[in-house]
Amino acid sequence: MDENCIFCKIAGKEIPSNIVYENDYVCAFYDLHPVTPVHVLVIPKIHIQDLEHVDESNSKYVEQVQLAFKEVAKIVGVDKTGYRVICNCGEDAGQEVKHLHYHMLGGKKLGTKIVHE
Ligand code: AMP
Ligand code: ZN
């Protein structure tokens, strides 16, 4: 855990959030500023900065995140309608929070699949 990391604090229940699902490895909570009707963040319960910092020592947590998506989808009601998962890594992707997280977006028909700007 990183004591300066807001998502570590959410996973550790040190600050409040709207958690929809968790297990020993994973925590999923609603994004504070949703961009779609359903916007959930899924994070590992261990501090990993981003995808560039995934390795053998923490990959069990990343594996569990992958397995959690369909459970979260069921809970928030997008398992039948579908959803998009986005993971920003580093500066050019505009990653703001330096704790690996996956945006689950859904609840409406989504537009352009890849954004070029
Ligand atoms: P990114 O640009 O991929 O780093 O996305 C960070 C996301 O975290 C943004 O969508 C924020 O709205 C969201 N966020 C930041 N702080 C919180 C918080 N305390 N609770 C829930 N979502 C948050
Ligand atoms: Zn963290």
Side-chain angles (χ1 to χ4, degrees):
M1 290 292 158
D2 179 332
E3 61 185 25
N4 298 314
C5 173
I6 190 168
F7 285 180
C8 281
K9 287 181 181 160
I10 285 176
K13 315 266 173 56
E14 285 174 46
I15 62 169
S17 70
N18 205 341
I19 293 177
V20 295
Y21 173 85
E22 67 178 323
N23 62 30
D24 288 346
Y25 298 93
V26 174
C27 181
F29 51 96
Y30 283 108
D31 195 293
L32 211 52
H33 305 290
V35 299
T36 47
V38 173
H39 186 171
V40 174
L41 298 174
V42 186
I43 67 169
K45 278 188 175 176
I46 188 177
H47 187 78
I48 304 172
Q49 183 177 319
D50 58 29
L51 286 173
E52 288 291 310
H53 292 78
V54 174
D55 58 31
E56 292 299 332
S57 76
N58 56 33
S59 60
K60 173 78 180 170
Y61 285 81
V62 180
E63 176 190 317
Q64 290 293 316
V65 167
Q66 299 295 319
L67 293 170
F69 289 130
K70 67 177 183 182
E71 305 303 332
V72 175
K74 223 176 289 169
I75 290 165
V76 300
V78 295
D79 55 320
K80 301 284 193 296
T81 46
Y83 51 94
R84 183 174 296 160
V85 176
I86 293 176
C87 181
N88 292 316
C89 179
E91 199 178 331
D92 278 2
Q95 183 183 359
E96 282 172 12
V97 179
K98 306 293 190 279
H99 180 128
L100 180 64
H101 57 277
Y102 297 77
H103 298 257
M104 278 183 79
L105 306 172
K108 70 167 194 174
K109 195 151 292 273
L110 301 173
T112 314
K113 285 186 186 282
I114 298 171
V115 177
H116 309 270
E117 277 177 0

